[in-house]
Amino acid sequence: MIVLVGFMGAGKSTVGPLLAAGLGLPFADLDQVIERQQGRPVRDIFAAGGEAAFRAVEHEALASFLAGPDAVLALGGGAVEHPASQRLLRPVSAVLPVVYLEVGYDEALRRVGGDSGRPMLASPDLAGIYRRRLAGYEAVATLTVATGGRPARAVCDEVMAGLTRLERAGYSH
Ligand code: S3P
């Protein structure tokens, strides 16, 4: 299992499939897993129960996915904010790579634009949320790769090189 974390717009859903193809693993996006399980879009889960309801559903989906077969799994940008999800990821990071795709705040906003499918973009203090989350990403990351101004292919190549280094150091995936 390889888990990708990072803020909205970090490139998890673009780099993830490239990485999965390179490693011969299936790719999954946890938001899509949640939408299939719940039978409604993430936006509707937020609208019905707010962020707390979404985080609870996200946590359950993450826990069951991590117990399943190997894949490259992209998490939503806020998954690390849920304490129980973060606790799940720390042991994963200790034995299996959690890759943090780093993106600056301004670039993240440029990449996601005004996507109405991402309710968190409407938060009054999005910059504060971004800053708060950095510690969460760093807490779970085994490997950190900067994505600023770089095409997905270059980011993917650097992740692959990093994974090879980790494998030599005793990690598996
Ligand atoms: C969220 C990010 C989204 C999705 C949900 C909440 C967040 O995923 O999980 O809208 O809190 O940052 P992406 O990071 O793939 O946009």
Side-chain angles (χ1 to χ4, degrees):
M1 191 77 68
I2 302 209
V3 180
L4 300 180
V5 300
F7 200 66
M8 291 174 277
K12 295 159 291 179
S13 316
T14 17
V15 173
L18 295 176
L19 189 60
L23 295 170
L25 286 172
F27 171 73
D29 181 311
L30 194 63
D31 286 336
Q32 286 172 10
V33 172
I34 292 167
E35 292 188 339
R36 268 200 308 275
Q37 283 172 356
Q38 299 289 315
R40 55 189 177 155
V42 164
R43 187 181 49 232
D44 290 2
I45 305 173
F46 268 82
E51 185 182 354
F54 177 73
R55 295 288 165 234
V57 166
E58 184 180 44
H59 173 70
E60 290 308 316
L62 175 62
S64 65
F65 198 96
L66 290 180
D70 266 2
V72 173
L73 176 66
L75 302 190
V80 296
E81 290 218 274
H82 190 283
S85 291
Q86 199 180 117
R87 276 197 299 277
L88 271 180
L89 291 170
R90 285 177 191 243
V92 172
S93 175
V95 284
L96 301 165
V98 174
V99 179
Y100 167 28
L101 299 182
E102 211 175 31
V103 63
Y105 181 67
D106 292 340
E107 179 150 0
L109 287 197
R110 269 198 303 279
R111 290 183 190 172
V112 295
D115 183 354
S116 66
R118 288 175 157 117
M120 290 303 290
L121 290 176
S123 304
D125 183 22
L126 191 58
I129 292 171
Y130 171 87
R131 281 194 299 275
R132 187 176 71 216
R133 287 181 178 177
L134 295 181
Y137 301 137
E138 279 158 19
V140 299
T142 327
L143 178 69
T144 300
V145 174
T147 69
R150 307 174 70 194
R153 172 50 60 197
V155 173
C156 176
D157 289 348
E158 189 177 331
V159 173
M160 296 277 277
L163 292 176
T164 304
R165 273 197 315 277
L166 286 173
E167 231 174 298
R168 286 204 198 102
Y171 279 78
S172 59
H173 58 76

